[in-house]
Amino acid sequence: MKIDISDKISLLFDKIDGNNRYYVFVGFLVFVFLLDYFFLMSPQLASLRKINPEIRAIVDEINQTKGNMQKLDEYRKNLEQLSEKFDEANLRVKSRTEIPSILEHIASVASKTGVKIDQIMPDTLDQELLTENSQRKYYDLPIYMEARSGYHDLGRFLNSLTEDNISLRVGAFTIIATSDTRYHLVKLTFKATVFEDILP
């Protein structure tokens, strides 16, 4: 007659007296827990540890995306401002064909501010290529000017030119005293930004 395992365990428990039974039962539970931990839970925890950095990376990406979405309106405003500045800059840059109108504009401002121009001429040979793209080339074109003016009139003249819608910058200039105390001889170089369309 065969005795099964449960009968053997109950016989062993009968042999253990009183309080020792609780210790054996607790030891048995600890043994079962350790078996469960090392054979079932440990591989799962190892998998979770491997996945944890990936989860953190995904959470960081989500947070970054949320931050970028919140800044989207700010980016749009910046883009609009840059577009306006770009359009304004494009309005100020004139075509090479408009060089006569640039000279005429300088002469008109000089006349209004009391500056008497003796000579004004662009130097296309000394122009400098600034940049180019598939449609246009942009140049810095020197414009040499000799004039007679008082200090205050010269200041008003230069100030008026910088406020206009033509891209003009003042380069080198010299002021030479003359026998007429009202006027000084002014030699001035402007840099006008102009473009030239590239023919296909």
Side-chain angles (χ1 to χ4, degrees):
M1 184 170 149
K2 292 182 179 177
I3 301 173
D4 63 352
I5 295 172
S6 59
D7 291 336
K8 287 182 181 178
I9 292 172
S10 62
L11 284 173
L12 281 172
F13 261 162
D14 289 338
K15 289 180 184 177
I16 300 170
D17 44 313
N19 288 337
N20 289 337
R21 283 186 186 173
Y22 297 115
Y23 297 132
V24 169
F25 183 68
V26 169
F28 177 73
L29 287 177
V30 169
F31 177 73
V32 169
F33 173 76
L34 290 174
L35 279 177
D36 181 51
Y37 177 78
F38 286 111
F39 291 105
L40 295 176
M41 289 178 63
S42 185
Q44 291 174 356
L45 289 173
S47 298
L48 284 174
R49 279 190 212 102
K50 286 179 185 174
I51 293 171
N52 215 12
E54 294 174 16
I55 292 171
R56 277 199 203 104
I58 290 169
V59 168
D60 289 343
E61 283 180 19
I62 290 169
N63 290 336
Q64 187 176 359
T65 304
K66 283 180 183 174
N68 289 340
M69 287 173 70
Q70 289 171 348
K71 291 180 181 176
L72 197 58
D73 286 336
E74 186 181 331
Y75 293 149
R76 281 196 187 116
K77 285 177 188 171
N78 287 344
L79 183 61
E80 286 171 13
Q81 289 172 352
L82 288 173
S83 295
E84 286 171 13
K85 285 181 182 177
F86 182 74
D87 291 341
E88 184 183 322
N90 265 349
L91 287 174
R92 292 173 61 102
V93 176
K94 303 298 181 190
S95 167
R96 283 176 63 102
T97 58
E98 295 178 275
I99 291 173
S101 67
I102 294 172
L103 299 178
E104 191 177 305
H105 176 71
I106 293 171
S108 169
V109 173
S111 175
K112 287 177 188 172
T113 54
V115 174
K116 304 197 180 324
I117 296 177
D118 295 326
Q119 182 181 7
I120 185 168
M121 62 179 190
D123 184 1
T124 52
L125 297 176
D126 202 19
Q127 68 187 0
E128 178 188 347
L129 178 66
L130 294 174
T131 186
E132 64 181 297
N133 56 34
S134 59
Q135 298 157 343
R136 289 180 173 171
K137 289 183 178 182
Y138 292 87
Y139 295 95
D140 238 356
L141 176 71
I143 298 174
Y144 299 110
M145 184 183 92
E146 285 187 17
R148 287 167 289 126
S149 172
Y151 285 117
H152 295 296
D153 292 339
L154 180 63
R156 286 190 306 128
F157 168 68
L158 294 176
N159 188 50
S160 296
L161 281 178
T162 55
E163 290 176 353
D164 283 330
N165 63 345
I166 295 176
S167 179
L168 275 177
R169 297 178 318 283
V170 177
F173 71 91
T174 54
I175 300 174
I176 303 166
T178 61
S179 56
D180 187 349
T181 55
R182 294 174 302 153
Y183 294 106
H184 302 289
L185 180 62
V186 179
K187 293 185 178 182
L188 183 65
T189 304
F190 293 108
K191 296 275 186 159
T193 306
V194 294
F195 69 85
E196 181 177 46
D197 289 321
I198 297 172
L199 298 174

